[in-house]
Amino acid sequence: MISFLKSSRKILGMNARNLQFIRPNNLRRARRLADDKLFSKRVLKKAELPVPNVIAKIKSFEELENFDWGALPDSWVLKPNRGFGGEGILVVYGKKKPARDASRLGRDAGGSLPDTWIKADSSLVTIEDIKTHVQNILDGSFSLAGVPDIAFFEERLKLLKLFKPYSFKGVPDIRIIVYNKVPVMAMLRLPTRESDGKANLQQGAIGVGIDLATGVTTTAVQGKNKVIEYLPGTRLLLSGIRIPYWKDILTLAVRAQEISKLGFLGADVAIDRD
């Protein structure tokens, strides 16, 4: 117990992080950028940093009723603008062919088959399902303070071949903590079946530490505290994965901090196949 208490002093807890690093180093004006995804996209894009493209935005219930669902591509990601903890994100991977929907979904009032998309677990999502989800976003069900929010669709990034054996459906991302323009911690986040194809540890994704000097993965954790050595259900070691473009990724994270003016920043970087 004594040795554990001594070791725990080396761990930066959430309360200490918030009080000692985030609050004194991140001005309120800069925090607005971190809390607003669409604003962040505009600022980063203006600085010529790559961000996923926005397909469409829905700001009100009137816009929701008049939305052109036929304009959506086969795959996309739906997000709340001010969401947190990965809540409220809906990812679809393809569009169901109408011929296969006929027996299950019926036809709409005009006699045609409704548009239907496919989620990571192969379940189907209809326009009515999406409308309900957008309504919840607009109502603020996923926003930081429960205030009304904006829903937006963005392009779904494509999975890099290197990560295909390690990732369930979704695209892994790399979280880099940058403090005063210096990267201090990094991890690779791998989507799992439990996380519904999202790279979110709170929902069951796998987090794998990355050696900052080499860009090679080290210790892995699933969820919040389960240390694992292999990818569940396989004999694939999670340590020893060399992250491509590592120096570029670190440079990108530092550049994002400079632009944001946040002294303590968590930058999420995904490598797109294209």
Side-chain angles (χ1 to χ4, degrees), residues 23-56:
R23 186 169 293 178
N25 291 287
N26 294 348
L27 299 176
R28 180 175 295 181
R29 186 187 309 169
R31 289 203 300 269
R32 176 175 169 252
L33 181 73
D35 295 339
D36 188 323
K37 295 182 180 68
L38 291 171
F39 182 41
S40 297
K41 282 178 178 289
R42 291 197 300 271
V43 171
L44 294 174
K45 196 169 185 178
K46 186 177 180 180
E48 299 184 346
L49 267 65
V51 294
N53 292 321
V54 174
I55 299 168

Side-chain angles (χ1 to χ4, degrees), residues 107-150:
R107 298 175 181 271
D108 60 22
S112 59
L113 292 168
D115 288 329
T116 311
W117 289 267
I118 307 168
K119 291 173 58 180
D121 61 1
S122 298
S123 62
L124 303 182
V125 181
T126 65
I127 291 176
E128 289 305 314
D129 295 329
I130 303 168
K131 280 185 176 180
T132 300
H133 195 80
V134 172
Q135 287 172 351
N136 289 333
I137 292 175
L138 295 176
D139 282 335
S141 298
F142 310 109
S143 66
L144 286 165
V147 296
D149 203 357
I150 297 171

